[in-house]
Amino acid sequence: MNISGKVKICGIIGDPVEHSMSPAMHNAAFEKMGLDFVYVPFRVKREDVGKAIDGVRALNIRGLNVTIPHKVAVMPFLNELDPLAEKIGAVNTIVNDNGFLKGYNTDAAGFLQALLDKGVEPKGKNVLLLGAGGASRAISFVLAERGANLVLLNRTLQKAKESADRLTEAFGREVRALELSHWNLVAELRHADILVNATSVGMSPQQDETPVPPSLLTASLTVCDIVYNPIKTRLLKEAEAAGAKTVDGVDMLVWQGAMAFEKWTGVKAPVEVMRGVVTGRLGGSPA
Ligand code: ATR
């Protein structure tokens, strides 16, 4: 790596950050595009988030990704929020223009881009979203904003209801909430176009589990899984076997990174290089 005196610095703040794929993914992308940029991980404690953001201004760091547990905590320290990030209530990307810090949520925008990249337009489609945690929140807002008809299913019904109420209020279209049960899956999958797993079911070491029985998967569905370890979850394998289109967790991870990259550099991200780095690290074959 050749670091010049003009290098621009980007990075990720979180705790922990040691296992993040982002440094490898972004540094490979900077190198591929011949950019004088470098990306480093910063482990930041909860109580130091404000000081870290002051440091971004003081050191003229160009941009940051923000990961668990700081996606909400960084918000009051920024100068401006992108409207989608504000509605979601979480920021995962910060751009610094001469000390003016703007926060975005490319987890949400990246999820949408991953769908569009596969030729899937969620506008006007029936989408069944499993889960009501942090990942589900970003995905549900971007889908509602795009004009999808959303139904939320969650093991804990109350959490799905709270999410659905927030969405109904924010976008003025009704979002339904149901318990994640076999019979609700049977009933809702009958007229679903897109199924999104935003629960952690199927993640290593529980890779033998799936949130949806294979008999309910059909060729007319697009099936997305936020779980990226393993890359091909049991749900995605069974969806493929049923003839469905699939979007994996790596697609989403790479697109959120690509969208952050483009905001910092103004250069189109080398998405395939980024995907290759992530799949290489996860032990899969590059797509
Ligand atoms: P994330 O930020 O990845 O969304 P999270 O906020 O902890 O993580 O949310 C995890 C989601 O997976 C929740 O919707 C959770 O359901 P509950 O709200 O009922 O806890 C869901 N989940 C985790 N394990 C599950 C399981 N074994 N069966 C069904 N849902 C599960």
Side-chain angles (χ1 to χ4, degrees):
M1 192 190 297
N2 197 356
I3 296 181
S4 82
K6 292 186 194 149
V7 72
K8 294 203 169 80
I9 298 173
C10 294
I12 181 164
I13 60 167
D15 190 10
V17 285
E18 288 81 357
H19 303 293
S20 171
M21 305 270 171
S22 294
M25 185 166 78
H26 283 289
N27 285 317
F30 292 149
E31 196 177 330
K32 170 76 182 175
M33 303 313 287
L35 295 168
D36 198 2
F37 273 69
V38 67
Y39 187 108
V40 284
F42 297 108
R43 184 168 185 176
V44 173
K45 290 191 234 120
R46 260 175 210 279
E47 61 271 26
D48 290 335
V49 169
K51 282 189 258 174
I53 298 300
D54 283 344
V56 168
R57 290 192 184 90
L59 297 170
N60 198 26
I61 288 172
R62 172 61 178 152
L64 284 185
N65 282 134
V66 183
T67 191
I68 290 167
H70 303 323
K71 289 185 186 190
V72 179
V74 291
M75 296 176 72
F77 301 105
L78 306 179
N79 299 95
E80 191 182 350
L81 293 173
D82 173 71
L84 184 62
E86 190 167 13
K87 280 201 188 98
I88 294 167
V91 160
N92 82 314
T93 298
I94 298 171
V95 179
N96 178 9
D97 278 314
N98 300 315
F100 187 89
L101 267 49
K102 183 164 177 181
Y104 298 86
N105 191 306
T106 72
D107 288 331
F111 169 76
L112 179 61
Q113 194 54 45
L115 276 183
L116 296 175
D117 184 57
K118 291 269 163 93
V120 180
E121 168 57 76
K123 186 172 197 291
K125 298 278 166 49
N126 296 327
V127 182
L128 195 57
L129 176 58
L130 314 182
S136 160
R137 188 178 165 105
I139 290 170
S140 63
F141 268 84
V142 80
L143 287 170
E145 187 181 68
R146 190 76 180 185
N149 306 313
L150 261 183
V151 180
L152 306 183
L153 264 61
N154 196 45
R155 180 176 60 181
T156 312
L157 178 58
Q158 188 53 32
K159 274 168 70 182
K161 278 196 168 142
E162 285 163 16
S163 283
D165 288 350
R166 268 198 302 270
L167 291 160
T168 303
E169 194 181 308
F171 297 99
R173 68 162 58 220
E174 200 209 338
V175 174
R176 286 186 298 133
L178 299 165
E179 191 185 333
L180 177 52
S181 70
H182 182 81
W183 291 111
N184 283 334
L185 280 172
V186 170
E188 295 302 323
L189 276 169
R190 253 182 229 137
H191 40 253
D193 303 300
I194 301 171
L195 167 70
V196 184
N197 175 38
T199 75
S200 48
V201 178
M203 191 188 295
S204 174
Q206 266 94 45
Q207 62 266 43
D208 295 336
E209 291 178 13
T210 176
V212 180
S215 59
L216 301 182
L217 301 170
T218 60
S220 61
L221 274 175
T222 295
V223 179
C224 316
D225 203 331
I226 63 154
V227 173
Y228 61 79
N229 189 12
I231 301 172
K232 216 172 259 186
T233 57
R234 182 176 161 198
L235 173 66
L236 291 182
K237 277 187 203 153
E238 291 173 345
E240 250 177 41
K245 205 177 252 194
T246 60
V247 178
D248 65 38
V250 174
D251 291 328
M252 296 178 219
L253 182 70
V254 167
W255 278 109
Q256 67 74 30
M259 298 187 87
F261 178 97
E262 289 172 9
K263 289 187 191 306
W264 300 324
T265 66
V267 171
K268 203 165 164 10
V271 175
E272 286 314 312
V273 169
M274 296 167 87
R275 190 177 164 94
V277 168
V278 176
T279 53
R281 292 200 163 220
L282 289 169
S285 54

PDB file of all heavy atoms in Angstrom, residues 204-239:
ATOM      1  N   SER A 204     -24.967 -19.232  10.805  1.00  0.00           N
ATOM      2  CA  SER A 204     -23.996 -20.139  11.405  1.00  0.00           C
ATOM      3  C   SER A 204     -23.858 -19.812  12.894  1.00  0.00           C
ATOM      4  O   SER A 204     -23.818 -18.639  13.259  1.00  0.00           O
ATOM      5  CB  SER A 204     -22.659 -19.938  10.699  1.00  0.00           C
ATOM      6  OG  SER A 204     -21.667 -20.680  11.315  1.00  0.00           O
ATOM      7  N   PRO A 205     -23.822 -20.768  13.809  1.00  0.00           N
ATOM      8  CA  PRO A 205     -23.753 -22.225  13.612  1.00  0.00           C
ATOM      9  C   PRO A 205     -25.116 -22.910  13.487  1.00  0.00           C
ATOM     10  O   PRO A 205     -25.155 -24.131  13.530  1.00  0.00           O
ATOM     11  CB  PRO A 205     -23.033 -22.673  14.880  1.00  0.00           C
ATOM     12  CG  PRO A 205     -23.508 -21.724  15.934  1.00  0.00           C
ATOM     13  CD  PRO A 205     -23.728 -20.403  15.232  1.00  0.00           C
ATOM     14  N   GLN A 206     -26.207 -22.149  13.340  1.00  0.00           N
ATOM     15  CA  GLN A 206     -27.523 -22.786  13.189  1.00  0.00           C
ATOM     16  C   GLN A 206     -27.928 -22.854  11.715  1.00  0.00           C
ATOM     17  O   GLN A 206     -29.062 -22.546  11.356  1.00  0.00           O
ATOM     18  CB  GLN A 206     -28.589 -22.016  13.980  1.00  0.00           C
ATOM     19  CG  GLN A 206     -28.828 -22.558  15.373  1.00  0.00           C
ATOM     20  CD  GLN A 206     -28.009 -21.865  16.428  1.00  0.00           C
ATOM     21  OE1 GLN A 206     -27.921 -20.641  16.425  1.00  0.00           O
ATOM     22  NE2 GLN A 206     -27.388 -22.611  17.302  1.00  0.00           N
ATOM     23  N   GLN A 207     -26.965 -23.230  10.859  1.00  0.00           N
ATOM     24  CA  GLN A 207     -27.226 -23.164   9.418  1.00  0.00           C
ATOM     25  C   GLN A 207     -28.208 -24.218   8.912  1.00  0.00           C
ATOM     26  O   GLN A 207     -28.628 -24.148   7.767  1.00  0.00           O
ATOM     27  CB  GLN A 207     -25.921 -23.203   8.601  1.00  0.00           C
ATOM     28  CG  GLN A 207     -25.115 -24.436   8.753  1.00  0.00           C
ATOM     29  CD  GLN A 207     -24.045 -24.252   9.841  1.00  0.00           C
ATOM     30  OE1 GLN A 207     -24.304 -23.700  10.902  1.00  0.00           O
ATOM     31  NE2 GLN A 207     -22.839 -24.713   9.586  1.00  0.00           N
ATOM     32  N   ASP A 208     -28.586 -25.175   9.793  1.00  0.00           N
ATOM     33  CA  ASP A 208     -29.563 -26.185   9.367  1.00  0.00           C
ATOM     34  C   ASP A 208     -30.995 -25.696   9.550  1.00  0.00           C
ATOM     35  O   ASP A 208     -31.948 -26.375   9.175  1.00  0.00           O
ATOM     36  CB  ASP A 208     -29.378 -27.484  10.160  1.00  0.00           C
ATOM     37  CG  ASP A 208     -28.030 -28.113   9.865  1.00  0.00           C
ATOM     38  OD1 ASP A 208     -27.495 -27.825   8.766  1.00  0.00           O
ATOM     39  OD2 ASP A 208     -27.518 -28.849  10.723  1.00  0.00           O
ATOM     40  N   GLU A 209     -31.142 -24.514  10.133  1.00  0.00           N
ATOM     41  CA  GLU A 209     -32.498 -24.004  10.382  1.00  0.00           C
ATOM     42  C   GLU A 209     -32.965 -23.108   9.242  1.00  0.00           C
ATOM     43  O   GLU A 209     -32.163 -22.534   8.511  1.00  0.00           O
ATOM     44  CB  GLU A 209     -32.509 -23.212  11.698  1.00  0.00           C
ATOM     45  CG  GLU A 209     -32.316 -24.115  12.895  1.00  0.00           C
ATOM     46  CD  GLU A 209     -32.286 -23.357  14.203  1.00  0.00           C
ATOM     47  OE1 GLU A 209     -32.649 -22.167  14.225  1.00  0.00           O
ATOM     48  OE2 GLU A 209     -31.870 -23.970  15.192  1.00  0.00           O
ATOM     49  N   THR A 210     -34.292 -23.002   9.119  1.00  0.00           N
ATOM     50  CA  THR A 210     -34.873 -22.090   8.135  1.00  0.00           C
ATOM     51  C   THR A 210     -36.155 -21.507   8.727  1.00  0.00           C
ATOM     52  O   THR A 210     -36.860 -22.205   9.465  1.00  0.00           O
ATOM     53  CB  THR A 210     -35.169 -22.806   6.799  1.00  0.00           C
ATOM     54  OG1 THR A 210     -35.814 -21.857   5.932  1.00  0.00           O
ATOM     55  CG2 THR A 210     -36.051 -24.024   6.963  1.00  0.00           C
ATOM     56  N   PRO A 211     -36.459 -20.256   8.421  1.00  0.00           N
ATOM     57  CA  PRO A 211     -37.696 -19.674   8.968  1.00  0.00           C
ATOM     58  C   PRO A 211     -38.946 -20.095   8.197  1.00  0.00           C
ATOM     59  O   PRO A 211     -40.060 -19.869   8.668  1.00  0.00           O
ATOM     60  CB  PRO A 211     -37.460 -18.167   8.829  1.00  0.00           C
ATOM     61  CG  PRO A 211     -36.492 -18.026   7.696  1.00  0.00           C
ATOM     62  CD  PRO A 211     -35.635 -19.264   7.715  1.00  0.00           C
ATOM     63  N   VAL A 212     -38.772 -20.703   6.994  1.00  0.00           N
ATOM     64  CA  VAL A 212     -39.927 -21.010   6.138  1.00  0.00           C
ATOM     65  C   VAL A 212     -39.829 -22.452   5.624  1.00  0.00           C
ATOM     66  O   VAL A 212     -38.814 -22.814   5.015  1.00  0.00           O
ATOM     67  CB  VAL A 212     -39.976 -20.044   4.921  1.00  0.00           C
ATOM     68  CG1 VAL A 212     -41.163 -20.366   4.028  1.00  0.00           C
ATOM     69  CG2 VAL A 212     -40.040 -18.596   5.390  1.00  0.00           C
ATOM     70  N   PRO A 213     -40.873 -23.272   5.823  1.00  0.00           N
ATOM     71  CA  PRO A 213     -40.819 -24.639   5.303  1.00  0.00           C
ATOM     72  C   PRO A 213     -40.680 -24.628   3.775  1.00  0.00           C
ATOM     73  O   PRO A 213     -41.345 -23.821   3.109  1.00  0.00           O
ATOM     74  CB  PRO A 213     -42.182 -25.236   5.698  1.00  0.00           C
ATOM     75  CG  PRO A 213     -42.745 -24.316   6.721  1.00  0.00           C
ATOM     76  CD  PRO A 213     -42.130 -22.976   6.515  1.00  0.00           C
ATOM     77  N   PRO A 214     -39.836 -25.511   3.220  1.00  0.00           N
ATOM     78  CA  PRO A 214     -39.586 -25.482   1.777  1.00  0.00           C
ATOM     79  C   PRO A 214     -40.843 -25.681   0.928  1.00  0.00           C
ATOM     80  O   PRO A 214     -40.933 -25.164  -0.176  1.00  0.00           O
ATOM     81  CB  PRO A 214     -38.592 -26.638   1.556  1.00  0.00           C
ATOM     82  CG  PRO A 214     -38.551 -27.399   2.826  1.00  0.00           C
ATOM     83  CD  PRO A 214     -39.005 -26.505   3.912  1.00  0.00           C
ATOM     84  N   SER A 215     -41.826 -26.392   1.459  1.00  0.00           N
ATOM     85  CA  SER A 215     -43.052 -26.657   0.690  1.00  0.00           C
ATOM     86  C   SER A 215     -43.814 -25.365   0.370  1.00  0.00           C
ATOM     87  O   SER A 215     -44.669 -25.355  -0.513  1.00  0.00           O
ATOM     88  CB  SER A 215     -43.957 -27.611   1.470  1.00  0.00           C
ATOM     89  OG  SER A 215     -44.279 -27.018   2.720  1.00  0.00           O
ATOM     90  N   LEU A 216     -43.503 -24.273   1.079  1.00  0.00           N
ATOM     91  CA  LEU A 216     -44.222 -23.016   0.839  1.00  0.00           C
ATOM     92  C   LEU A 216     -43.516 -22.119  -0.180  1.00  0.00           C
ATOM     93  O   LEU A 216     -44.006 -21.049  -0.522  1.00  0.00           O
ATOM     94  CB  LEU A 216     -44.381 -22.236   2.160  1.00  0.00           C
ATOM     95  CG  LEU A 216     -45.125 -22.952   3.285  1.00  0.00           C
ATOM     96  CD1 LEU A 216     -45.252 -22.041   4.509  1.00  0.00           C
ATOM     97  CD2 LEU A 216     -46.508 -23.390   2.813  1.00  0.00           C
ATOM     98  N   LEU A 217     -42.346 -22.556  -0.660  1.00  0.00           N
ATOM     99  CA  LEU A 217     -41.577 -21.716  -1.594  1.00  0.00           C
ATOM    100  C   LEU A 217     -41.953 -22.060  -3.032  1.00  0.00           C
ATOM    101  O   LEU A 217     -42.047 -23.236  -3.376  1.00  0.00           O
ATOM    102  CB  LEU A 217     -40.077 -21.927  -1.362  1.00  0.00           C
ATOM    103  CG  LEU A 217     -39.594 -21.607   0.057  1.00  0.00           C
ATOM    104  CD1 LEU A 217     -38.158 -22.068   0.253  1.00  0.00           C
ATOM    105  CD2 LEU A 217     -39.735 -20.119   0.354  1.00  0.00           C
ATOM    106  N   THR A 218     -42.163 -21.024  -3.853  1.00  0.00           N
ATOM    107  CA  THR A 218     -42.581 -21.254  -5.248  1.00  0.00           C
ATOM    108  C   THR A 218     -41.708 -20.452  -6.210  1.00  0.00           C
ATOM    109  O   THR A 218     -41.024 -19.502  -5.803  1.00  0.00           O
ATOM    110  CB  THR A 218     -44.042 -20.806  -5.452  1.00  0.00           C
ATOM    111  OG1 THR A 218     -44.120 -19.407  -5.139  1.00  0.00           O
ATOM    112  CG2 THR A 218     -45.016 -21.587  -4.598  1.00  0.00           C
ATOM    113  N   ALA A 219     -41.782 -20.820  -7.483  1.00  0.00           N
ATOM    114  CA  ALA A 219     -40.942 -20.196  -8.509  1.00  0.00           C
ATOM    115  C   ALA A 219     -41.291 -18.723  -8.740  1.00  0.00           C
ATOM    116  O   ALA A 219     -40.470 -17.960  -9.241  1.00  0.00           O
ATOM    117  CB  ALA A 219     -41.071 -20.964  -9.822  1.00  0.00           C
ATOM    118  N   SER A 220     -42.497 -18.306  -8.355  1.00  0.00           N
ATOM    119  CA  SER A 220     -42.897 -16.923  -8.622  1.00  0.00           C
ATOM    120  C   SER A 220     -42.364 -15.953  -7.559  1.00  0.00           C
ATOM    121  O   SER A 220     -42.521 -14.744  -7.685  1.00  0.00           O
ATOM    122  CB  SER A 220     -44.421 -16.828  -8.696  1.00  0.00           C
ATOM    123  OG  SER A 220     -44.965 -17.219  -7.453  1.00  0.00           O
ATOM    124  N   LEU A 221     -41.725 -16.485  -6.519  1.00  0.00           N
ATOM    125  CA  LEU A 221     -41.214 -15.625  -5.438  1.00  0.00           C
ATOM    126  C   LEU A 221     -39.799 -15.119  -5.721  1.00  0.00           C
ATOM    127  O   LEU A 221     -39.011 -15.788  -6.386  1.00  0.00           O
ATOM    128  CB  LEU A 221     -41.112 -16.435  -4.146  1.00  0.00           C
ATOM    129  CG  LEU A 221     -42.305 -16.577  -3.217  1.00  0.00           C
ATOM    130  CD1 LEU A 221     -41.921 -17.543  -2.092  1.00  0.00           C
ATOM    131  CD2 LEU A 221     -42.761 -15.239  -2.657  1.00  0.00           C
ATOM    132  N   THR A 222     -39.490 -13.925  -5.173  1.00  0.00           N
ATOM    133  CA  THR A 222     -38.095 -13.526  -4.995  1.00  0.00           C
ATOM    134  C   THR A 222     -37.815 -13.673  -3.504  1.00  0.00           C
ATOM    135  O   THR A 222     -38.575 -13.170  -2.678  1.00  0.00           O
ATOM    136  CB  THR A 222     -37.878 -12.059  -5.420  1.00  0.00           C
ATOM    137  OG1 THR A 222     -38.124 -11.953  -6.813  1.00  0.00           O
ATOM    138  CG2 THR A 222     -36.455 -11.601  -5.113  1.00  0.00           C
ATOM    139  N   VAL A 223     -36.752 -14.390  -3.160  1.00  0.00           N
ATOM    140  CA  VAL A 223     -36.441 -14.654  -1.756  1.00  0.00           C
ATOM    141  C   VAL A 223     -35.112 -13.990  -1.395  1.00  0.00           C
ATOM    142  O   VAL A 223     -34.091 -14.234  -2.055  1.00  0.00           O
ATOM    143  CB  VAL A 223     -36.381 -16.175  -1.467  1.00  0.00           C
ATOM    144  CG1 VAL A 223     -36.027 -16.435  -0.006  1.00  0.00           C
ATOM    145  CG2 VAL A 223     -37.714 -16.833  -1.819  1.00  0.00           C
ATOM    146  N   CYS A 224     -35.146 -13.133  -0.356  1.00  0.00           N
ATOM    147  CA  CYS A 224     -33.945 -12.414   0.087  1.00  0.00           C
ATOM    148  C   CYS A 224     -33.622 -12.840   1.509  1.00  0.00           C
ATOM    149  O   CYS A 224     -34.527 -13.000   2.326  1.00  0.00           O
ATOM    150  CB  CYS A 224     -34.191 -10.908   0.132  1.00  0.00           C
ATOM    151  SG  CYS A 224     -35.063 -10.250  -1.278  1.00  0.00           S
ATOM    152  N   ASP A 225     -32.337 -12.984   1.794  1.00  0.00           N
ATOM    153  CA  ASP A 225     -31.924 -13.346   3.150  1.00  0.00           C
ATOM    154  C   ASP A 225     -30.840 -12.386   3.606  1.00  0.00           C
ATOM    155  O   ASP A 225     -29.837 -12.216   2.912  1.00  0.00           O
ATOM    156  CB  ASP A 225     -31.395 -14.796   3.155  1.00  0.00           C
ATOM    157  CG  ASP A 225     -31.485 -15.421   4.534  1.00  0.00           C
ATOM    158  OD1 ASP A 225     -31.409 -14.666   5.528  1.00  0.00           O
ATOM    159  OD2 ASP A 225     -31.624 -16.650   4.612  1.00  0.00           O
ATOM    160  N   ILE A 226     -31.037 -11.747   4.759  1.00  0.00           N
ATOM    161  CA  ILE A 226     -29.996 -10.833   5.255  1.00  0.00           C
ATOM    162  C   ILE A 226     -28.820 -11.598   5.856  1.00  0.00           C
ATOM    163  O   ILE A 226     -27.748 -11.050   6.017  1.00  0.00           O
ATOM    164  CB  ILE A 226     -30.510  -9.831   6.327  1.00  0.00           C
ATOM    165  CG1 ILE A 226     -30.985 -10.559   7.580  1.00  0.00           C
ATOM    166  CG2 ILE A 226     -31.553  -8.902   5.769  1.00  0.00           C
ATOM    167  CD1 ILE A 226     -30.897  -9.684   8.812  1.00  0.00           C
ATOM    168  N   VAL A 227     -29.043 -12.859   6.201  1.00  0.00           N
ATOM    169  CA  VAL A 227     -27.951 -13.673   6.760  1.00  0.00           C
ATOM    170  C   VAL A 227     -26.915 -13.885   5.658  1.00  0.00           C
ATOM    171  O   VAL A 227     -27.276 -14.249   4.539  1.00  0.00           O
ATOM    172  CB  VAL A 227     -28.497 -15.035   7.252  1.00  0.00           C
ATOM    173  CG1 VAL A 227     -27.365 -15.960   7.670  1.00  0.00           C
ATOM    174  CG2 VAL A 227     -29.490 -14.828   8.397  1.00  0.00           C
ATOM    175  N   TYR A 228     -25.623 -13.622   5.948  1.00  0.00           N
ATOM    176  CA  TYR A 228     -24.607 -13.831   4.911  1.00  0.00           C
ATOM    177  C   TYR A 228     -23.553 -14.854   5.322  1.00  0.00           C
ATOM    178  O   TYR A 228     -22.585 -15.088   4.600  1.00  0.00           O
ATOM    179  CB  TYR A 228     -23.960 -12.508   4.467  1.00  0.00           C
ATOM    180  CG  TYR A 228     -23.231 -11.754   5.545  1.00  0.00           C
ATOM    181  CD1 TYR A 228     -21.960 -12.125   5.954  1.00  0.00           C
ATOM    182  CD2 TYR A 228     -23.813 -10.644   6.137  1.00  0.00           C
ATOM    183  CE1 TYR A 228     -21.292 -11.423   6.934  1.00  0.00           C
ATOM    184  CE2 TYR A 228     -23.150  -9.933   7.118  1.00  0.00           C
ATOM    185  CZ  TYR A 228     -21.896 -10.319   7.515  1.00  0.00           C
ATOM    186  OH  TYR A 228     -21.242  -9.627   8.491  1.00  0.00           O
ATOM    187  N   ASN A 229     -23.743 -15.459   6.477  1.00  0.00           N
ATOM    188  CA  ASN A 229     -22.825 -16.494   6.916  1.00  0.00           C
ATOM    189  C   ASN A 229     -23.621 -17.700   7.403  1.00  0.00           C
ATOM    190  O   ASN A 229     -24.118 -17.660   8.519  1.00  0.00           O
ATOM    191  CB  ASN A 229     -21.924 -15.949   8.023  1.00  0.00           C
ATOM    192  CG  ASN A 229     -20.800 -16.907   8.369  1.00  0.00           C
ATOM    193  OD1 ASN A 229     -20.557 -17.868   7.649  1.00  0.00           O
ATOM    194  ND2 ASN A 229     -20.138 -16.664   9.486  1.00  0.00           N
ATOM    195  N   PRO A 230     -23.848 -18.712   6.583  1.00  0.00           N
ATOM    196  CA  PRO A 230     -23.268 -18.968   5.263  1.00  0.00           C
ATOM    197  C   PRO A 230     -23.893 -18.067   4.179  1.00  0.00           C
ATOM    198  O   PRO A 230     -24.988 -17.560   4.373  1.00  0.00           O
ATOM    199  CB  PRO A 230     -23.637 -20.433   4.996  1.00  0.00           C
ATOM    200  CG  PRO A 230     -24.919 -20.635   5.738  1.00  0.00           C
ATOM    201  CD  PRO A 230     -24.804 -19.793   6.975  1.00  0.00           C
ATOM    202  N   ILE A 231     -23.166 -17.936   3.052  1.00  0.00           N
ATOM    203  CA  ILE A 231     -23.687 -17.097   1.963  1.00  0.00           C
ATOM    204  C   ILE A 231     -24.982 -17.700   1.443  1.00  0.00           C
ATOM    205  O   ILE A 231     -25.965 -17.007   1.264  1.00  0.00           O
ATOM    206  CB  ILE A 231     -22.646 -16.979   0.818  1.00  0.00           C
ATOM    207  CG1 ILE A 231     -21.345 -16.373   1.338  1.00  0.00           C
ATOM    208  CG2 ILE A 231     -23.215 -16.132  -0.325  1.00  0.00           C
ATOM    209  CD1 ILE A 231     -20.194 -16.395   0.344  1.00  0.00           C
ATOM    210  N   LYS A 232     -24.956 -19.005   1.187  1.00  0.00           N
ATOM    211  CA  LYS A 232     -26.172 -19.668   0.726  1.00  0.00           C
ATOM    212  C   LYS A 232     -26.830 -20.354   1.910  1.00  0.00           C
ATOM    213  O   LYS A 232     -26.441 -21.459   2.304  1.00  0.00           O
ATOM    214  CB  LYS A 232     -25.847 -20.666  -0.389  1.00  0.00           C
ATOM    215  CG  LYS A 232     -26.937 -20.701  -1.430  1.00  0.00           C
ATOM    216  CD  LYS A 232     -26.573 -21.527  -2.644  1.00  0.00           C
ATOM    217  CE  LYS A 232     -26.129 -20.670  -3.797  1.00  0.00           C
ATOM    218  NZ  LYS A 232     -25.913 -21.459  -5.020  1.00  0.00           N
ATOM    219  N   THR A 233     -27.780 -19.686   2.498  1.00  0.00           N
ATOM    220  CA  THR A 233     -28.477 -20.240   3.660  1.00  0.00           C
ATOM    221  C   THR A 233     -29.404 -21.375   3.203  1.00  0.00           C
ATOM    222  O   THR A 233     -29.689 -21.507   2.013  1.00  0.00           O
ATOM    223  CB  THR A 233     -29.349 -19.152   4.319  1.00  0.00           C
ATOM    224  OG1 THR A 233     -30.252 -18.655   3.331  1.00  0.00           O
ATOM    225  CG2 THR A 233     -28.501 -18.013   4.869  1.00  0.00           C
ATOM    226  N   ARG A 234     -29.884 -22.126   4.170  1.00  0.00           N
ATOM    227  CA  ARG A 234     -30.841 -23.198   3.824  1.00  0.00           C
ATOM    228  C   ARG A 234     -32.045 -22.593   3.097  1.00  0.00           C
ATOM    229  O   ARG A 234     -32.512 -23.144   2.100  1.00  0.00           O
ATOM    230  CB  ARG A 234     -31.273 -23.923   5.108  1.00  0.00           C
ATOM    231  CG  ARG A 234     -32.213 -25.049   4.798  1.00  0.00           C
ATOM    232  CD  ARG A 234     -32.616 -25.870   6.001  1.00  0.00           C
ATOM    233  NE  ARG A 234     -33.834 -26.590   5.655  1.00  0.00           N
ATOM    234  CZ  ARG A 234     -34.648 -27.134   6.526  1.00  0.00           C
ATOM    235  NH1 ARG A 234     -34.381 -27.077   7.823  1.00  0.00           N
ATOM    236  NH2 ARG A 234     -35.731 -27.757   6.125  1.00  0.00           N
ATOM    237  N   LEU A 235     -32.535 -21.450   3.574  1.00  0.00           N
ATOM    238  CA  LEU A 235     -33.681 -20.794   2.930  1.00  0.00           C
ATOM    239  C   LEU A 235     -33.376 -20.501   1.457  1.00  0.00           C
ATOM    240  O   LEU A 235     -34.207 -20.771   0.580  1.00  0.00           O
ATOM    241  CB  LEU A 235     -34.018 -19.483   3.671  1.00  0.00           C
ATOM    242  CG  LEU A 235     -35.088 -18.604   3.004  1.00  0.00           C
ATOM    243  CD1 LEU A 235     -36.449 -19.295   3.006  1.00  0.00           C
ATOM    244  CD2 LEU A 235     -35.188 -17.247   3.713  1.00  0.00           C
ATOM    245  N   LEU A 236     -32.193 -19.965   1.179  1.00  0.00           N
ATOM    246  CA  LEU A 236     -31.855 -19.618  -0.204  1.00  0.00           C
ATOM    247  C   LEU A 236     -31.666 -20.862  -1.065  1.00  0.00           C
ATOM    248  O   LEU A 236     -32.063 -20.887  -2.225  1.00  0.00           O
ATOM    249  CB  LEU A 236     -30.602 -18.732  -0.246  1.00  0.00           C
ATOM    250  CG  LEU A 236     -30.776 -17.310   0.318  1.00  0.00           C
ATOM    251  CD1 LEU A 236     -29.484 -16.523   0.174  1.00  0.00           C
ATOM    252  CD2 LEU A 236     -31.918 -16.555  -0.360  1.00  0.00           C
ATOM    253  N   LYS A 237     -31.065 -21.904  -0.497  1.00  0.00           N
ATOM    254  CA  LYS A 237     -30.901 -23.167  -1.241  1.00  0.00           C
ATOM    255  C   LYS A 237     -32.266 -23.725  -1.639  1.00  0.00           C
ATOM    256  O   LYS A 237     -32.471 -24.137  -2.777  1.00  0.00           O
ATOM    257  CB  LYS A 237     -30.197 -24.215  -0.365  1.00  0.00           C
ATOM    258  CG  LYS A 237     -28.692 -24.088  -0.343  1.00  0.00           C
ATOM    259  CD  LYS A 237     -28.123 -25.291   0.410  1.00  0.00           C
ATOM    260  CE  LYS A 237     -26.754 -24.971   0.961  1.00  0.00           C
ATOM    261  NZ  LYS A 237     -26.415 -25.754   2.144  1.00  0.00           N
ATOM    262  N   GLU A 238     -33.191 -23.726  -0.678  1.00  0.00           N
ATOM    263  CA  GLU A 238     -34.513 -24.295  -0.941  1.00  0.00           C
ATOM    264  C   GLU A 238     -35.321 -23.396  -1.883  1.00  0.00           C
ATOM    265  O   GLU A 238     -36.120 -23.882  -2.678  1.00  0.00           O
ATOM    266  CB  GLU A 238     -35.230 -24.571   0.387  1.00  0.00           C
ATOM    267  CG  GLU A 238     -34.527 -25.722   1.118  1.00  0.00           C
ATOM    268  CD  GLU A 238     -35.034 -26.008   2.528  1.00  0.00           C
ATOM    269  OE1 GLU A 238     -35.751 -25.170   3.114  1.00  0.00           O
ATOM    270  OE2 GLU A 238     -34.681 -27.086   3.056  1.00  0.00           O
ATOM    271  N   ALA A 239     -35.087 -22.099  -1.801  1.00  0.00           N
ATOM    272  CA  ALA A 239     -35.761 -21.167  -2.723  1.00  0.00           C
ATOM    273  C   ALA A 239     -35.275 -21.417  -4.146  1.00  0.00           C
ATOM    274  O   ALA A 239     -36.068 -21.480  -5.093  1.00  0.00           O
ATOM    275  CB  ALA A 239     -35.483 -19.727  -2.303  1.00  0.00           C
TER     276      ALA A 239
END
